[in-house]
Amino acid sequence: MLKRCPFLLLWAGISTVTVAQPREFPPRPGAPLTVSVFSHAVSLPTFRGFLKNANVGIRVGTEVYYHNRPGSQLIQTLNVGVYHHRALQTGLFLNSEFGYRKFIGGLYAETFIGLGALGLSQHLRSYQPGGAGEFRPASRFMLRAMPSLSAGLGYRFRAHSTAPVSVFTRYELFAETPFNNQRLPLLPHAALHVGTRLLLNR
């Protein structure tokens, strides 16, 4: 019996080490990637003009969650995008939004308020006073503040998996300010988005 003790102790040690090894867990999800294509218009709130002779843009972003439960999310976004309006301008923007998303099953509604920077390249030539009653061409490039407000609907597939996928549509209003018009301090813009959101694994 005493001769078997070293073998019993060795077997017990191996079993303990095996049990103590950490379990394999599925990879933790990383930051979501949101991509949307949108139709852009320079106008007050309206749905007219989005599909006829559409001015197209694209936006790419990500999200962080201050509150993330099965039924709701409190969200901060970071986005970069570009659009081309054939008659007026090309815009490049960087913005962040604060928003709330409410789920009913896979369906959800969301709303956001944001602020960003909008860089513009004007297609139309403008002029500014140059002294002695003369005018000189103004720069085509401008940097403006970009406040925004948006609301949308979407659907989330595979909600309980580690990599859910969402599709959505969103209506967004944003402003170009200050605007070079004494009677109009800002120029209203509108965008109709269609996009997807992927939760990527690390």
Side-chain angles (χ1 to χ4, degrees):
M1 182 69 179
L2 294 175
K3 293 181 180 180
R4 295 181 179 179
C5 285
F7 297 102
L8 292 174
L9 292 173
L10 179 62
W11 179 82
I14 294 173
S15 301
T16 302
V17 171
T18 303
V19 172
Q21 287 180 348
R23 297 179 181 178
E24 293 293 332
F25 290 96
R28 294 177 61 190
L33 174 67
T34 301
V35 180
S36 68
V37 176
F38 62 91
S39 178
H40 168 264
V42 176
S43 70
L44 293 169
T46 180
F47 285 94
R48 299 175 58 185
F50 279 126
L51 300 178
K52 185 178 180 181
N53 299 321
N55 301 292
V56 180
I58 185 169
R59 189 176 78 162
V60 179
T62 190
E63 299 178 347
V64 295
Y65 304 108
Y66 298 114
H67 160 98
N68 190 5
R69 295 182 179 177
S72 62
Q73 294 174 329
L74 200 60
I75 309 157
Q76 184 83 36
T77 73
L78 180 64
N79 310 290
V80 62
V82 62
Y83 66 85
H84 177 72
H85 192 292
R86 292 185 301 275
L88 296 177
Q89 59 191 210
T90 297
L92 175 66
F93 61 87
L94 175 68
N95 79 327
S96 182
E97 304 163 300
F98 183 74
Y100 179 75
R101 185 176 293 139
K102 177 64 178 178
F103 291 92
I104 303 175
L107 186 68
Y108 64 86
E110 58 187 7
T111 184
F112 292 88
I113 184 170
L115 183 63
L118 176 63
L120 296 171
S121 174
Q122 300 288 351
H123 303 329
L124 300 177
R125 199 62 169 170
S126 60
Y127 296 84
Q128 61 187 22
E134 298 180 352
F135 289 82
R136 57 183 175 83
S139 174
R140 291 183 183 270
F141 302 97
M142 299 182 296
L143 183 63
R144 297 287 185 259
M146 180 187 171
S148 64
L149 181 66
S150 63
L153 296 172
Y155 191 86
R156 181 173 62 179
F157 300 91
R158 301 184 299 173
H160 300 293
S161 73
T162 58
V165 177
S166 299
V167 292
F168 64 89
T169 182
R170 184 187 299 176
Y171 183 77
E172 179 184 21
L173 297 172
F174 67 92
E176 168 193 339
T177 183
F179 183 58
N180 295 331
N181 189 314
Q182 295 180 354
R183 295 175 297 175
L184 190 65
L186 56 83
L187 183 65
H189 297 245
L192 183 61
H193 295 256
V194 176
T196 185
R197 182 177 305 102
L198 311 174
L199 190 57
L200 304 177
N201 287 326
R202 291 176 183 169

